[in-house]
Amino acid sequence: MNSLERLSRWVGLFSLWLGGLLLMINIGDIVMGVVLRYFCHAAPIWTEELARFSLVWMVLIGAAAAFLNGDQMSIDFVVNALPPRGKAFCRFLSAAVQVAVLGVMVWFGAQNVMGGWKMKTMALGVPKAVPLTAVPVGMAMLMVVVVGKYLHDSGSGREKR
């Protein structure tokens, strides 16, 4: 196992734990908002914004763990019918397209973040760049996992499924 594969596994594990922590924050925030609305007939305005931001971060950060564990949707009946060289080419092409798309998302996501430091969110008052950072960070983590998984699968000679 090379260093990129190890990094990929570490990123996937970090993604899993951080996604779980964000899920707990999201659930706790929503429950608190509902309980306060029920008993006090009002909830702090920031609970809805925190729930939204933690949900976005959870999904984008958790994508790396989901991909590493094979929990993404895949329609591969055509690829599985190909000979080994055809499968290898399709897997390479798929990984290359994924890396290219993720690279574009990281680039434009970072550009969006750079423009969001001066604007503040309505309820929490944090810079808009804080929730927007989930896109380049999550997609960069996913890119590392995609490359590491491709190298692992192609280096070990194992076919998916």
Side-chain angles (χ1 to χ4, degrees):
M1 181 181 286
N2 67 29
S3 59
L4 187 56
E5 291 177 43
R6 265 188 247 124
L7 176 64
S8 172
R9 292 230 175 259
W10 184 87
V11 167
L13 188 60
F14 179 72
S15 168
L16 182 66
W17 282 97
L18 185 56
L21 176 66
L22 288 163
L23 177 63
M24 290 189 310
I25 289 170
N26 187 271
I27 291 170
D29 177 60
I30 291 170
V31 167
M32 182 180 74
V34 168
V35 167
L36 287 174
R37 241 180 256 114
Y38 183 76
F39 289 111
C40 300
H41 305 291
I45 188 110
W46 55 265
T47 57
E48 185 272 330
E49 197 169 86
L50 180 62
R52 187 171 8 116
F53 293 162
S54 62
L55 180 66
V56 169
W57 268 92
M58 177 186 56
V59 168
L60 293 174
I61 295 297
F67 184 86
L68 191 62
N69 293 319
D71 291 335
Q72 79 284 356
M73 185 177 78
S74 176
I75 302 171
D76 55 3
F77 64 91
V78 173
V79 173
N80 288 336
L82 294 174
R85 283 188 177 202
K87 286 181 187 179
F89 175 74
C90 285
R91 302 232 188 274
F92 169 77
L93 186 63
S94 174
V97 168
Q98 289 174 57
V99 167
V101 169
L102 291 170
V104 167
M105 292 179 76
V106 168
W107 175 259
F108 285 114
Q111 298 300 313
N112 200 13
V113 168
M114 293 305 158
W117 287 106
K118 293 181 182 174
M119 297 183 292
K120 303 278 186 191
T121 62
M122 296 291 283
L124 291 172
V126 298
K128 278 271 200 179
V130 172
L132 293 174
T133 304
V135 174
V137 170
M139 297 304 99
M141 290 172 68
L142 184 54
M143 189 183 325
V144 168
V145 169
V146 166
V147 171
K149 189 166 176 17
Y150 172 77
L151 291 176
H152 178 265
D153 290 351
S154 64
S156 66
R158 285 190 300 181
E159 288 298 323
K160 195 171 95 179
R161 283 183 216 146

